[in-house]
Amino acid sequence: LRTQQPEFMTQLVSAARIGRSLGIHLILATQKPAGVVDDQIWSNSRFRVCLKVQDKADSQDMLKRPDAAELTQAGRFYLQVGYNELFEMGQSAWAGAPYYPQDRFTPEKDDAVVIIDSNGRPIRAAKPDKRDSRLANPKKQLDAITEYLKATADKENISIRPLWLEPIPAIIFLDDIKRNNNGQFKQGFNLNPIIGQYDDPSRQRQCTLTLPLTAEGNTIIYGSAGSGKTTFLNALITSLTQDHTPDEVNIYILDFSAETLRAFAQAPHIGDVVFSFEAEKIENLLRMLREETHNRKALFADYGGDFITYMKTTQPESRTPNLDQRPPNPDQHPPKPEPRIPSIVLIIHDFGIFSDIYEHKLRDIMNLTRESAKYGIYVILTALSINAVRAVIRQNFKQLFSLQMNEAEDYFSIVGKTEGLLPAKHKGRGLVRLDGLYEYQIAHLTEDPIPYGFIQTHSRQLQDRYPDVAAPPIPIMPEHITPEDLAAHIQFNTKEQTNLAQLTLPIGIECDTIKVHNYPFGRNPVSLVVSAQPETHFLQELATLAANHCGITTVIIDPTGTLAPKDTGALICVSSKETCENVIKSLGNLLTNRLSTGETSASQGQKHEPLIVIITAYTPLQNIITEEARGDLILFLERTSITHNTISIIGELAQDIGKTAMTPWYAKHSPGTAQNYIWAGSGLKEQYTQAITPRPTTEQSSLSPEFAYSISKGRQMTKIKLLGASSDNGQ
């Protein structure tokens, strides 16, 4: 004991010194007292029992006399009280003798026969065997007495308080722990999920283990393979989803391990479960969290600059009641409520694999973990070893949990000095430093060793409980973009607006932000769409959006013949030579009429009905119509004016844009370098007709047909995926 637990000897000395007055008595046993028994113990030990010892020096240490070294019979001893107040030889009883049950006690008679020699020394002895032959293997008297005492204590309900608690079981269940805590850790926006129990033997208690994310922030869970990291996350996520609503916490999971966390995917609290091969989702998730951090920083600036202060200030149910606070003035208007902001939890399961595959994203993780916790965005990592998380990232984590590690030295790196404490060999057992160092056990969800089915059922139940609220999904680029996908983002409607100067239409989704891109068609009377091949399908979908969802009369002139003729009132489509010429002539007459009645309409406060004219391929149209129609078309485009509530959208081939730039309408509506246009597909770098500063790189210029650049004022270049485009073939 002194060798293996030297720190315990200090407490032992204290017990020897003052324990007797408190009813605590000490019995110590040792083979050699020299150098082992402390002087304080010697001076406070009145009774000494010494059996046979090795030599006289041992007897001298114990009794201050050599007599015990001369003992020969087993169990023979000397008893010394004080300093020879009593010094007697005695014989200890043997409790290991076999026990033969009897109905009543019968004193044993000595029936032995001993043959001695002339000097009285025994030569041979014999004794009748009185053992009960029916008991082949009788129990020992010590065991029989112990069993009798136990049975009597059970019958009389006699028990004593144990000196220490039993170790935490290898398997404990989350529901049992929550039932015992009776919901005391549910605190609205405050994330403090129950995850298990920890053992505090010095205070003789076993306490509920929680993960105080809101109070302490980011967390790393270390553990070797098979140590229970997934069990830890299962308990954590389940506890969070049970204690909080989806508008209180949103969880995003990057599972780079066995991908079993996909079982949580249906829960409304889960924004998404992402795997190692989903690079686009990972890129978009990190971008989304960066933007959310930036937005929260601006929002919290007036509320102390952090999430906790904001929630306590703006959410009445989050405030701590103040009994001394005066009641509000009924004449005062209550302050305008601020939006409820959910906590966000990002979980990266097996950060070592994440680091290997997405090393270029480690700086994003470092920046996110450095400042996100202040704004209610918390990061939880799991790792196989201490080296899996770089020091520059690890310094941003306040909470470190250790499960079973391969090397004992790893515990010191994670939780500091262990003082000999190592976790038991159970799945989910580990060490954590709170106000001291404790051993803990993570709770299991179910008795089933594979909890996948239990988690799926739990997730579906949560979905039924919260049918109208869910965490925002990770934005991803859709395979195909339809007018219905963008209709909700339209900001123009003829029932409320009639001036096309305010017209912006969604034309696709930005590749960098995965947000809908609105193009300001009302900024120019004529907008240009340049492409290597005619963007017929895009322009048709754009016309559908304007006609069906904005209520704007839209005319499509398609000289390629790709689109079927159509006349639904709001949407008119023509493609044959004759119909194209007729429509051009009608448009010219309409515009002439608007020009002649413009002043009268303006004086009477009237606006012309909005009109959009779309030409899918300008140069091919010029090639099929007559000279007269060409002149009418050029005149119409030149006289097109937002003042008369008419705009045109012209599709042109990249190979013909140089010739088109020489026309009068182009020079009028696209002056100098202040150009707004859409360039679809590749070839932007190779042309010099359309202004762009700085010049795009070869990589930027190489686009597949379904992508385009939206150019603003010849400078701002935004890459988008076009409305109506498909990743298969651009159409």
Side-chain angles (χ1 to χ4, degrees):
L1 176 68
R2 185 184 182 94
T3 302
Q4 296 181 7
Q5 303 288 340
E7 67 280 355
F8 179 66
M9 294 303 296
T10 304
Q11 304 298 326
L12 202 62
V13 170
S14 176
R17 188 171 64 250
I18 63 175
R20 184 177 58 185
S21 63
L22 302 175
I24 298 176
H25 305 282
L26 199 63
I27 299 176
L28 302 182
T30 183
Q31 288 183 323
K32 295 181 71 67
V36 176
V37 182
D38 189 271
D39 290 341
Q40 288 282 346
I41 297 179
W42 278 122
S43 61
N44 288 281
S45 300
R46 187 162 181 258
F47 297 88
R48 303 179 187 182
V49 177
C50 189
L51 289 91
K52 166 69 177 176
V53 291
Q54 189 70 28
D55 51 39
K56 293 181 178 181
D58 293 337
S59 178
Q60 196 73 29
D61 288 335
M62 190 72 177
L63 304 173
K64 308 303 180 188
R65 53 201 307 171
D67 300 34
E70 300 174 359
L71 294 174
T72 58
Q73 186 172 341
R76 192 62 57 90
F77 63 86
Y78 283 105
L79 169 64
Q80 185 181 57
V81 180
Y83 187 70
N84 286 336
E85 297 174 22
L86 177 65
F87 186 82
E88 294 288 346
M89 178 184 288
Q91 176 66 42
S92 61
W94 182 38
Y99 171 63
Y100 299 102
Q102 296 178 344
D103 293 336
R104 60 182 179 176
F105 174 72
T106 303
E108 186 176 352
K109 296 180 180 180
D110 188 0
D111 296 333
V113 177
V114 182
I115 301 175
I116 60 175
D117 61 9
S118 57
N119 295 323
R121 291 179 296 191
I123 298 176
R124 186 167 297 181
K127 184 178 181 179
D129 187 359
K130 299 180 181 180
R131 295 178 296 180
D132 192 341
S133 59
R134 292 174 298 177
L135 298 176
N137 297 303
K139 65 180 68 174
K140 296 180 180 180
Q141 291 181 7
L142 177 62
D143 296 333
I145 293 172
T146 303
E147 291 176 3
Y148 175 78
L149 291 174
K150 180 180 183 301
T152 303
D154 292 341
K155 181 179 179 181
E156 300 294 333
N157 292 323
I158 299 172
S159 63
I160 61 170
R161 184 178 65 86
L163 293 181
W164 53 80
L165 298 174
E166 292 293 326
I168 297 177
I171 296 180
I172 56 178
F173 297 104
L174 185 63
D175 287 344
D176 295 339
I177 302 174
K178 289 196 167 192
R179 195 176 302 114
N180 295 334
N181 285 277
N182 198 24
Q184 69 182 75
F185 294 100
K186 296 182 180 179
Q187 300 177 9
F189 78 93
N190 184 31
L191 304 186
N192 192 22
I194 294 173
I195 56 176
Q197 286 184 326
Y198 69 90
D199 199 0
D200 186 4
S202 64
R203 298 183 181 91
Q204 283 302 289
R205 61 178 186 170
Q206 291 173 348
C207 305
T208 300
L209 179 64
T210 65
L211 185 63
L213 287 171
T214 301
E216 299 297 332
N218 302 327
T219 303
I220 303 180
I221 304 156
Y222 291 100
S224 59
S227 61
K229 296 186 294 298
T230 302
T231 303
F232 193 118
L233 294 179
N234 286 342
L236 168 65
I237 299 171
T238 301
S239 188
L240 282 173
T241 56
Q242 287 177 344
D243 295 346
H244 299 276
T245 63
D247 60 357
E248 289 176 344
V249 61
N250 299 159
I251 304 172
Y252 298 89
I253 304 171
L254 306 184
D255 189 354
F256 284 68
S257 186
E259 300 184 1
T260 57
L261 297 181
R262 70 170 71 236
F264 289 101
Q266 295 183 15
H269 305 70
I270 309 300
D272 210 332
V273 181
V274 185
F275 306 114
S276 58
F277 54 86
E278 297 181 292
E280 180 186 355
K281 280 190 175 182
I282 293 172
E283 172 73 32
N284 296 339
L285 173 61
L286 294 177
R287 182 189 300 114
M288 184 179 77
L289 294 178
R290 283 198 306 271
E291 293 177 357
E292 183 66 21
T293 301
H294 177 76
N295 294 337
R296 293 189 178 197
K297 185 184 297 186
L299 179 62
F300 299 163
D302 295 332
Y303 299 93
D306 65 89
F307 176 74
I308 296 176
T309 306
Y310 173 84
M311 293 300 292
K312 289 182 177 179
T313 304
T314 61
Q315 308 301 324
E317 68 275 16
S318 302
R319 299 172 189 162
T320 303
N322 185 358
L323 300 180
D324 298 328
Q325 187 175 3
R326 302 175 71 179
N329 186 348
D331 297 331
Q332 268 187 339
H333 292 289
K336 182 181 178 181
E338 293 288 349
R340 187 180 186 90
I341 304 296
S343 298
I344 297 177
V345 179
L346 171 63
I347 298 174
I348 305 180
H349 191 16
D350 204 331
F351 189 72
I353 299 179
F354 175 87
S355 301
D356 293 340
I357 300 176
Y358 298 100
E359 185 176 4
H360 59 289
K361 294 299 178 185
L362 293 182
R363 179 171 293 276
D364 291 335
I365 298 296
M366 180 185 68
N367 295 334
L368 182 66
T369 56
R370 184 173 57 237
E371 58 180 7
S372 62
K374 184 178 180 180
Y375 304 112
I377 302 174
Y378 312 106
V379 180
I380 299 173
L381 310 180
T382 69
L384 285 171
S385 66
I386 191 70
N387 296 324
V389 183
R390 298 182 182 181
V392 69
I393 296 177
R394 190 166 61 245
Q395 67 184 1
N396 299 328
F397 289 78
K398 292 179 64 175
Q399 300 188 93
L400 303 178
F401 286 79
S402 172
L403 294 164
Q404 292 285 340
M405 303 298 293
N406 291 328
E407 302 294 336
E409 295 78 10
D410 292 339
Y411 296 110
F412 176 79
S413 302
I414 300 169
V415 297
K417 188 177 180 181
T418 62
E419 299 177 347
L421 178 62
L422 295 176
K425 302 292 185 181
H426 302 309
K427 190 173 185 177
R429 190 67 61 95
L431 301 179
V432 63
R433 184 167 295 280
L434 304 173
D435 56 339
L437 184 66
Y438 301 106
E439 184 182 24
Y440 68 87
Q441 174 64 47
I442 292 299
H444 292 252
L445 303 182
T446 174
E447 294 181 357
D448 192 335
I450 302 176
Y452 192 89
F454 175 89
I455 295 173
Q456 283 188 314
T457 302
H458 171 68
S459 299
R460 286 192 291 268
Q461 291 172 348
L462 290 171
Q463 200 172 44
D464 296 336
R465 188 188 307 172
Y466 306 107
D468 301 325
V469 59
I474 299 174
I476 58 172
M477 186 68 71
E479 288 294 318
H480 186 76
I481 305 173
T482 65
E484 288 70 25
D485 297 331
L486 306 182
H489 300 272
I490 293 175
Q491 303 171 3
F492 187 93
N493 193 301
T494 54
K495 295 180 180 179
E496 302 173 359
Q497 301 162 294
T498 57
N499 188 358
L500 285 183
Q502 304 169 3
L503 177 65
T504 61
L505 289 178
I507 63 170
I509 296 178
E510 297 178 4
C511 297
D512 289 340
T513 63
I514 316 300
K515 294 181 179 179
V516 172
H517 181 79
N518 287 283
Y519 188 86
F521 288 102
R523 186 181 297 175
N524 285 42
V526 178
S527 298
L528 200 61
V529 179
V530 186
S531 58
Q533 299 294 328
E535 284 293 340
T536 309
H537 197 63
F538 162 65
L539 293 173
Q540 181 190 31
E541 297 286 55
L542 185 63
T544 302
L545 202 65
N548 297 346
H549 297 280
C550 296
I552 303 173
T553 301
T554 306
V555 178
I556 307 177
I557 301 175
D558 177 32
T560 65
T562 304
L563 305 180
K566 181 183 297 185
D567 186 354
T568 61
L571 180 61
I572 302 170
C573 180
V574 295
S575 57
S576 67
K577 175 179 179 298
E578 292 76 12
T579 54
C580 288
E581 292 174 348
N582 292 336
V583 166
I584 291 172
K585 186 172 183 179
S586 298
L587 290 173
N589 295 334
L590 177 64
L591 189 57
T592 300
N593 182 57
R594 291 192 175 190
L595 289 172
S596 62
T597 61
E599 295 182 1
T600 304
S601 300
S603 63
Q604 296 176 356
Q606 297 178 356
K607 270 287 183 183
H608 296 294
E609 180 184 353
L611 173 66
I612 297 177
V613 177
I614 298 177
I615 300 175
T616 60
Y618 179 76
T619 298
L621 176 62
Q622 289 274 49
N623 294 336
I624 67 169
I625 61 178
T626 64
E627 184 69 29
E628 180 183 358
R630 281 199 294 269
D632 291 341
L633 177 61
I634 293 174
L635 182 61
F636 170 78
L637 294 177
E638 185 177 357
R639 298 167 69 182
T640 296
S641 172
I642 296 175
T643 306
H644 304 105
N645 239 15
T646 305
I647 65 172
S648 298
I649 302 174
I650 307 300
E652 182 59 293
L653 300 178
Q655 63 189 24
D656 298 323
I657 189 63
K659 183 170 60 176
T660 304
M662 306 300 293
T663 59
W665 64 264
Y666 183 93
K668 178 179 178 180
H669 298 304
S670 299
T673 59
Q675 294 180 342
N676 303 310
Y677 58 96
I678 300 169
W679 188 287
S682 59
L684 180 59
K685 179 184 178 183
E686 289 73 19
Q687 64 83 34
Y688 291 90
T689 304
Q690 299 299 114
I692 180 68
T693 305
R695 301 294 300 175
T697 63
T698 302
E699 182 180 0
Q700 290 175 323
S701 182
S702 301
L703 290 184
S704 53
E706 69 268 22
F707 293 96
Y709 283 112
S710 173
I711 312 297
S712 176
K713 297 182 180 180
R715 293 182 179 274
Q716 186 176 349
M717 188 169 66
T718 304
K719 183 180 178 182
I720 60 174
K721 185 172 183 179
L722 286 173
L723 167 67
S726 168
S727 296
D728 297 333
N729 55 14
Q731 296 296 316

